[in-house]
């Protein structure tokens, strides 16, 4: 199911977990065991949620690691759809199995 303009996971983390609970990025970074600058790049959308980060987020915040990666994939796919030109791509004819 595609989503119209899905949020980057960092935007989601800030809006759903940090801001409403008055938690700083630095505090979350400490709980995650990562540097504040590493988390800051995720929160501002300039870095992806990696599988390692997904595991850390799952333990610290909740939700499954798979859900964090799925959120990242939905965002990445939405961004790609904005920029990838598929006009030169044609369908491959395959024999029925």
């Amino acid at each position: 199911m595609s989503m119209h303009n899905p949020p980057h996971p960092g935007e989601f983390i800030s809006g759903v977990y940090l801001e409403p609970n008055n938690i700083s990025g630095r505090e979350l970074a400490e709980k995650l065991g990562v540097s504040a600058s590493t988390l800051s790049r995720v929160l501002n959308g300039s870095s992806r949620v990696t599988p390692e980060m997904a595991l850390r987020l799952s333990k610290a915040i909740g939700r499954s690691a798979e859900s964090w990666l799925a959120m990242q994939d939905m965002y990445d796919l939405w961004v790609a759809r904005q920029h990838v030109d598929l006009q030169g791509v044609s369908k491959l004819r395959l024999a029925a199995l």
Side-chain angles (χ1 to χ4, degrees), residues 3 10-11 36 39 45 65 75 84:
M3 186 181 222
E11 179 184 347
L39 181 62
Y75 175 79
V84 175

Side-chain angles (χ1 to χ4, degrees), residues 28-90:
L28 177 57
E30 185 177 308
K31 298 292 185 191
L32 293 171
V34 300
S35 71
S37 62
T38 295
L39 181 62
S40 177
R41 287 189 297 275
V42 171
L43 295 178
N44 70 31
S46 63
S47 287
R48 306 181 78 250
V49 169
T50 62
E52 179 183 314
M53 182 62 80
L55 290 169
R56 292 172 185 271
L57 289 167
S58 180
K59 184 168 183 180
I61 293 178
R63 304 173 58 100
S64 69
E66 292 83 1
S67 73
W68 290 112
L69 291 174
M71 186 181 297
Q72 182 67 59
D73 284 344
M74 285 182 6
Y75 175 79
D76 290 345
L77 187 55
W78 182 84
V79 169
R81 283 188 171 126
Q82 310 311 303
H83 303 289
V84 175
D85 180 5
L86 298 175
Q87 288 186 6
V89 178
S90 58

